[in-house]
Amino acid sequence: MQVTFHGAARKVTGSRHLITTDSGKKILLDCGLFQGEGKETEELNRHLGFDASSVDILILSHAHADHAGNIPYLFKQGFTGIIYCTYATFDLCSVMLMDSAYIQEHDIEYVNKRRRKKHQEPLEALYTTDDVAACLKKFEPVAYNEWKTISEGVEFFYTDSGHILGSAGVSLKVTEGGKTTRLFFSGDIGRYGDLILHDPQPFPQPDYIICESTYGNRLHEDSVDASKRLLATVIDTCVNRRGKLIIPAFSLGRTQEIIYTLDRLHTIGQMPDVKIYIDSPLAVNVTGIMRKHKEAFNPELQEYMKKDPDPFSYDKITFITDVDDSKALNESDEPCIIISASGMIEAGRVKHHVKNNISNSRNTILIVGYCPPSSLGGKLMNGDQFVKIFGKEYEVHAHIEIISSYSAHADYREMLHYLSSIDASQVKKLILVHGVIASQEAFRKRLLDAGFKDVQIPSQGDTIVLKN
């Protein structure tokens, strides 16, 4: 058996790992979009690195775009197999992939308008809403903690990874020639003590591990301190400077955590009288799905909901779907909080909000999650004084704040704790993906110290043989 890494190899996004068994069965772990890779992004997403029609099965770890966002393109390119996921992941993909297709269709209209002026041939969208509708019929939801046989000699098992609603680690058993190879794919590992979700769940002992490494060289700040810092930023921006607080946040997970934090501050009487706008049609739909899956909530949130049945809204929060209402926020001078996607500020409505507010020193842009260095969010985190948005350069006068503990990714200490549930001495090889090389090299040293004897960091297109 072997695995070839067609994405998220020495990069954080574009999860795409192709397993080929000795008998020729091809199993794809995730099929995500590359994000924040500048001019390379489009080409990386259009070139899968393998024949889509040759893939037999897709096992999906979770619904984030960098893990699931390129599934419709895989289908469009000839994939006809079953797509396995958890029940919550299916609900999320039903709205998130449609949203992605809508963006693809409208972005290509804008691009082709410019190309026509230059007398260039029009381009085709990566995929359309019709492609999404067709591929959703191939999804088959599977419960956590139940072995699922997917073909002769091949079965897998989902464990809750605590990263986002529906996220899972994948345990795969492949039996050939009387021998069984056990592989574990972490997907993205969540936080211990998450505001909303259960802690990551232990997983069965594997022979091989494919593990994420996004924060392999970083520790997050305490969540209690993060809540205090968020409140201090709200007061400083909206009360003292009478400005706008722009929070770029992914529609799934991060947005709900921020809303829940603000809701709790309001409940205990600490939140100032400031209007909050959730400017994302997708976030509206995703929040509805979160309410549907209360079984995923941790005991603390379950207890909180006894006194506040809806932890994702209160009277100062307005959910915005209409584009004209979104534009009106940029024309208003009222102090307010605007939470909008995407978290990396690479696309979506938040990019317009940043453009319109970045040169005003009364305002603050608060980064609450990982951003690749080449993304707009990454450049703001790096302290760039001038940034390009929609082809025009803007001087950064707004305050830039960073609160990393709202990240849904475990830091290196939490990842080591997650991996401590199994016997490191029995792991033949641990393979690091989903991280930049500096993070991966730092995490590799810690893994070796923890008893893992062989830790590898593949490059894009590399193949590693997994001997049984």
Side-chain angles (χ1 to χ4, degrees), residues 2 4 6 17-29 50-59 79 81-82 150-151 154:
Q2 64 183 34
T4 304
H6 294 286
H17 317 301
L18 184 61
I19 295 167
T20 304
T21 67
D22 293 341
S23 63
K25 179 76 67 177
K26 291 186 182 293
I27 303 165
L28 185 62
L29 300 174
F50 53 87
D51 178 5
S53 66
S54 71
V55 178
D56 299 291
I57 293 161
L58 170 60
I59 302 177
F79 172 74
I82 296 172
I150 54 180
S151 67
V154 182

Side-chain angles (χ1 to χ4, degrees), residues 5-17 32-41 43-45 66-67 185 187-188 210-215 344 370-374 409 432-440 457-461:
F5 300 92
H6 294 286
R10 305 195 180 202
K11 297 180 185 292
V12 173
T13 62
S15 181
R16 202 185 299 157
H17 317 301
L33 288 169
F34 285 88
Q35 299 172 303
E37 295 295 335
K39 294 179 179 179
E40 293 182 50
T41 306
E43 186 167 344
L44 286 168
N45 287 329
D66 62 323
H67 291 257
F185 171 47
D188 284 344
I210 301 172
C211 184
E212 75 123 316
S213 53
T214 307
Y215 285 123
M344 298 177 186
Y370 179 82
C371 297
S374 60
H409 285 270
L432 292 180
V433 292
H434 304 272
V436 296
I437 191 64
S439 172
Q440 292 178 315
I457 305 172
S459 296
Q460 184 85 354

Side-chain angles (χ1 to χ4, degrees), residues 173-211:
K173 284 198 299 188
V174 179
T175 302
E176 294 182 300
K179 294 183 178 180
T180 298
T181 302
R182 302 169 298 174
L183 170 68
F184 178 71
F185 171 47
S186 71
D188 284 344
I189 304 166
R191 309 288 312 282
Y192 290 86
D194 184 86
L195 287 173
I196 295 173
L197 303 175
H198 293 292
D199 285 350
Q201 181 183 3
F203 54 93
Q205 177 70 44
D207 303 308
Y208 297 93
I209 298 175
I210 301 172
C211 184

Side-chain angles (χ1 to χ4, degrees), residues 168-406:
V170 180
S171 292
L172 192 68
K173 284 198 299 188
V174 179
T175 302
E176 294 182 300
K179 294 183 178 180
T180 298
T181 302
R182 302 169 298 174
L183 170 68
F184 178 71
F185 171 47
S186 71
D188 284 344
I189 304 166
R191 309 288 312 282
Y192 290 86
D194 184 86
L195 287 173
I196 295 173
L197 303 175
H198 293 292
D199 285 350
Q201 181 183 3
F203 54 93
Q205 177 70 44
D207 303 308
Y208 297 93
I209 298 175
I210 301 172
C211 184
E212 75 123 316
S213 53
T214 307
Y215 285 123
N217 60 350
R218 189 179 304 182
L219 292 174
H220 297 315
E221 62 188 315
D222 183 86
S223 60
V224 175
D225 293 334
S227 178
K228 292 178 180 178
R229 283 194 58 205
L230 177 60
L231 178 60
T233 304
V234 170
I235 293 170
D236 180 50
T237 304
C238 302
V239 178
N240 298 340
R241 285 187 273 121
R242 304 291 294 169
K244 293 179 181 176
L245 174 58
I246 312 296
I247 307 178
F250 293 112
S251 298
L252 168 58
R254 206 71 43 77
T255 291
Q256 289 76 30
E257 284 194 1
I258 298 295
I259 298 172
Y260 175 40
T261 301
L262 297 173
D263 185 286
R264 290 199 306 181
L265 291 169
H266 170 74
T267 298
I268 62 177
Q270 292 186 359
M271 189 67 188
D273 188 19
V274 175
K275 291 183 179 179
I276 303 164
Y277 298 98
I278 315 301
D279 186 18
S280 167
L282 179 58
V284 175
N285 291 327
V286 166
T287 304
I289 292 171
M290 292 282 287
R291 293 184 179 108
K292 174 183 172 183
H293 287 277
K294 295 177 183 177
E295 77 283 353
F297 297 165
N298 62 36
E300 182 183 11
L301 178 52
Q302 298 275 8
E303 187 65 26
Y304 180 81
M305 289 173 66
K306 291 178 181 178
K307 57 183 177 182
D308 183 355
D310 187 358
F312 305 121
S313 185
Y314 68 95
D315 61 356
K316 291 297 178 182
I317 296 177
T318 300
F319 287 85
I320 290 179
T321 57
D322 187 80
V323 68
D324 290 333
D325 291 336
S326 176
K327 290 177 180 178
L329 293 178
N330 290 317
E331 297 168 2
S332 170
D333 286 331
E334 71 167 340
C336 64
I337 300 168
I338 300 173
I339 305 171
S340 186
S342 72
M344 298 177 186
I345 327 179
E346 283 294 282
R349 293 182 178 182
V350 75
K351 197 169 183 178
H352 294 272
H353 292 307
V354 170
K355 174 181 75 74
N356 283 282
N357 292 282
I358 198 167
S359 297
N360 189 329
S361 61
R362 290 190 299 133
N363 302 327
T364 298
I365 299 166
L366 173 61
I367 310 292
V368 293
Y370 179 82
C371 297
S374 60
S375 68
L376 178 54
K379 291 173 182 176
L380 293 176
M381 292 175 73
N382 189 51
D384 288 15
Q385 291 302 301
F386 294 88
V387 292
K388 274 193 174 180
I389 307 175
F390 298 121
K392 183 179 177 182
E393 193 171 74
Y394 291 84
E395 189 168 1
V396 180
H397 290 298
H399 294 234
I400 308 299
E401 299 288 342
I402 303 166
I403 303 180
S404 66
S405 68
Y406 283 109

Side-chain angles (χ1 to χ4, degrees), residues 130-185:
D130 288 341
D131 296 320
V132 173
C135 84
L136 285 172
K137 296 176 183 178
K138 307 297 291 185
F139 278 67
E140 185 175 316
V142 176
Y144 287 116
N145 305 311
E146 293 180 9
W147 283 103
K148 172 74 174 178
T149 299
I150 54 180
S151 67
E152 185 178 353
V154 182
E155 54 186 326
F156 81 97
F157 183 92
Y158 274 138
T159 45
D160 189 347
S161 66
H163 173 62
I164 61 167
L165 182 71
S167 62
V170 180
S171 292
L172 192 68
K173 284 198 299 188
V174 179
T175 302
E176 294 182 300
K179 294 183 178 180
T180 298
T181 302
R182 302 169 298 174
L183 170 68
F184 178 71
F185 171 47

Side-chain angles (χ1 to χ4, degrees), residues 216 412 416 419 424-425 427-432 439-457:
Y412 74 76
L416 288 172
L419 294 169
S425 68
V427 178
K428 297 177 182 178
K429 201 183 301 290
L430 190 151
I431 304 160
L432 292 180
S439 172
Q440 292 178 315
E441 288 176 341
F443 193 41
R444 180 179 182 273
K445 292 177 182 177
R446 292 186 171 97
L447 289 165
L448 292 171
D449 289 341
F452 292 95
K453 49 185 177 284
D454 186 358
V455 181
Q456 297 193 11
I457 305 172

